Amino acid sequence: MRQKSMLKFFALVAVLIAAVYYFLAVNPITNHLRYGLDLKGGVTATYQAEPAPGEPVNKETMARAMSILGFRVNALGVSEPVIEQVGSNRITVDLPGVKNPEQALQFLGQTAVLQIKSPTGQVLLSGGDLKNAVAGIVNGQYVVNLTFNAQGTKIFAAATKKYLGKPLPIYLNGKLVEAPIVQNVIPDGQAQMSGNFTSLQQAQKVALLLQSGALPVNLKVLDVRTVSATLGHASVVASKVASIIAIALIGFVMIVWYRLAGFVADMALLIYLLLVVGALWAIHAVITVPGIAGLILSVGMAVDANVIIFSRIREEMINGKTPRASVAAGFRHAIRAILDSHVTTFVSSLILFFLGTGEVKGFALTLMIGTAVSLLTAVSVTGVVIRWVADAGWAKVRSIFVG
């Protein structure tokens, strides 16, 4: 049993060293994480929804407005955007890495009301009848190709048949774009809008606005804040340095105070960090400065769990129990206090996550994940490895084992 326990211990140390080297030097895991506005730079804006004609501000219209904003943000190619409703009539939009915030915000808040009317001015088709809109170039001219849905196709076919040889004016946001003459019946639901576009980019912009649909409410910009990339980079560097110093100091103190058991705690802490960062990567969490604060706080909880375990083991050894009996009894008594503290912290962070907004949610999410992983490592890593140490015969001298 002694040789087997020693082999397991050294194998875990070797695997851990290899994993840390790989995820720090070979393929840094921090390069695969998503960073928020405060770390990456960009722009954050707050919109206030105001009633549009026939459209009050309520839960339904706010949900539609957020969905449309989400579509438009994705069309901009922004990575890690955050769109949240604040209160009953406000929406905040975070756009990390945006280089031209004015154009981006103007694009997000634009309306795109398409109407195809009869020669007498009656509205025949609207943006709600569209299935798709794609920009293109036809005969050297920039155009937007329109495709109607099933209902729109029937209406458009009937309209082109009824008004054959007559104009069907196309309006965008109440302005006449063009009035093409119907040359023949169009049964396939395909139409084309030229609109005198000066560039393909302008045509693509209109096409994207038509695809997303018209905003159901008017969005008024209340506040716009720009975070420079330099400030974001400085925050990343400062956060990394603070985290490294904090973890190094914790590891050093644990070894000085608890000797061999402290080294086991440091191993558990490294496994804990790898699991937490891996979990954040797996769920595509956006890392922010408050999120890092939550992570560091959860590191403290992970260390505290080890302190409670080792203190209990040391008490049992002082009372004259054998190392293996001390480990079993100490761990059994400590796990109750650890479970109580972790459950209360997890519940608190869960409440913060569901009731909080923005940065508070980021803090709550990392604290919640860190708390859960801390409990897991305390049970499955510290508890198991400390038994290996006892079985290997390294726990006979209390001052070397737990200080």
Side-chain angles (χ1 to χ4, degrees):
M1 180 179 287
R2 180 177 180 178
Q3 290 183 345
K4 189 175 181 182
S5 297
M6 292 176 62
L7 182 62
K8 289 179 181 178
F9 181 83
F10 287 118
L12 180 61
V13 171
V15 170
L16 192 54
I17 292 173
V20 171
Y21 175 75
Y22 178 79
F23 287 115
L24 287 182
V26 179
N27 185 19
I29 195 169
T30 53
N31 294 343
H32 301 285
L33 295 176
R34 304 169 67 189
Y35 296 99
L37 191 69
D38 50 0
L39 295 176
K40 196 174 182 180
V43 62
T44 179
T46 302
Y47 292 94
Q48 179 170 304
E50 297 179 343
E55 292 283 4
V57 177
N58 52 36
K59 288 184 178 180
E60 182 183 348
T61 53
M62 288 295 288
R64 284 165 52 200
M66 289 184 63
S67 177
I68 291 171
L69 285 177
F71 183 93
R72 294 181 179 182
V73 167
N74 291 332
L76 286 172
V78 177
S79 61
E80 296 91 48
V82 178
I83 303 173
E84 293 182 324
Q85 182 174 340
V86 180
S88 59
N89 65 341
R90 291 188 179 182
I91 298 173
T92 60
V93 181
D94 291 347
L95 304 175
V98 169
K99 296 180 180 179
N100 195 329
E102 291 183 3
Q103 285 188 3
L105 294 177
Q106 182 183 9
F107 173 71
L108 293 180
Q110 275 186 346
T111 57
V113 180
L114 174 72
Q115 290 180 327
I116 297 180
K117 299 183 178 181
S118 68
T120 58
Q122 178 187 0
V123 177
L124 302 174
L125 293 156
S126 66
D129 299 307
L130 272 181
K131 180 180 180 182
N132 197 15
V134 180
I137 302 176
V138 176
N139 297 326
Q141 187 177 19
Y142 305 110
V143 300
V144 175
N145 297 306
L146 308 175
T147 303
F148 297 104
N149 56 26
Q151 181 182 353
T153 298
K154 292 179 182 178
I155 296 173
F156 192 57
T160 54
K161 182 178 181 180
K162 181 177 180 180
Y163 299 109
L164 191 64
K166 297 179 181 179
L168 281 183
I170 301 177
Y171 291 82
L172 185 63
N173 298 329
K175 296 181 180 180
L176 179 65
V177 176
E178 59 180 330
I181 305 298
V182 179
Q183 302 291 342
N184 45 44
V185 178
I186 305 175
D188 59 359
Q190 301 288 331
Q192 196 174 85
M193 180 174 65
S194 63
N196 297 319
F197 299 118
T198 56
S199 67
L200 181 61
Q201 184 179 8
Q202 185 184 7
Q204 288 172 337
K205 191 175 179 181
V206 171
L208 288 171
L209 289 171
L210 290 174
Q211 284 184 50
S212 62
L215 287 165
V217 291
N218 296 320
L219 294 181
K220 179 183 177 182
V221 179
L222 293 182
D223 178 57
V224 177
R225 286 176 293 160
T226 301
V227 179
S228 70
T230 303
L231 178 60
H233 178 70
S235 298
V236 172
V237 173
S239 299
K240 286 182 178 179
V241 171
S243 300
I244 292 171
I245 292 174
I247 293 169
L249 284 176
I250 289 171
F252 176 74
V253 171
M254 289 298 291
I255 292 176
V256 169
W257 194 257
Y258 289 105
R259 307 297 197 274
L260 184 56
F263 180 73
V264 173
D266 291 344
M267 291 172 59
L269 182 60
L270 288 175
I271 294 173
Y272 159 83
L273 289 172
L274 290 173
L275 290 176
V276 168
V277 175
L280 293 173
W281 169 79
I283 65 174
H284 305 291
V286 178
I287 309 299
T288 60
V289 171
I292 292 175
L295 181 60
I296 294 175
L297 180 60
S298 67
V299 169
M301 290 194 63
V303 173
D304 187 52
N306 287 285
V307 169
I308 294 173
I309 292 172
F310 301 149
S311 296
R312 289 286 189 175
I313 293 174
R314 182 160 55 186
E315 289 175 5
E316 297 295 336
M317 292 187 74
I318 291 174
N319 291 334
K321 289 186 179 180
T322 64
R324 184 166 178 79
S326 299
V327 168
F331 187 81
R332 185 173 62 252
H333 294 311
I335 200 64
R336 299 171 186 170
I338 293 171
L339 187 61
D340 287 344
S341 65
H342 280 66
V343 168
T344 53
T345 304
F346 186 86
V347 171
S348 300
S349 58
L350 191 65
I351 293 171
L352 279 177
F353 182 78
F354 283 106
L355 297 184
T357 58
E359 295 177 345
V360 176
K361 277 194 171 186
F363 171 81
L365 178 63
T366 53
L367 182 58
M368 195 161 40
I369 293 174
T371 303
V373 177
S374 172
L375 183 60
L376 175 67
T377 53
V379 174
S380 62
V381 178
T382 303
V384 172
V385 177
I386 205 70
R387 288 187 180 94
W388 292 351
V389 172
D391 291 339
W394 297 331
K396 293 179 181 180
V397 181
R398 179 179 59 83
S399 59
I400 297 177
F401 182 39
V402 288

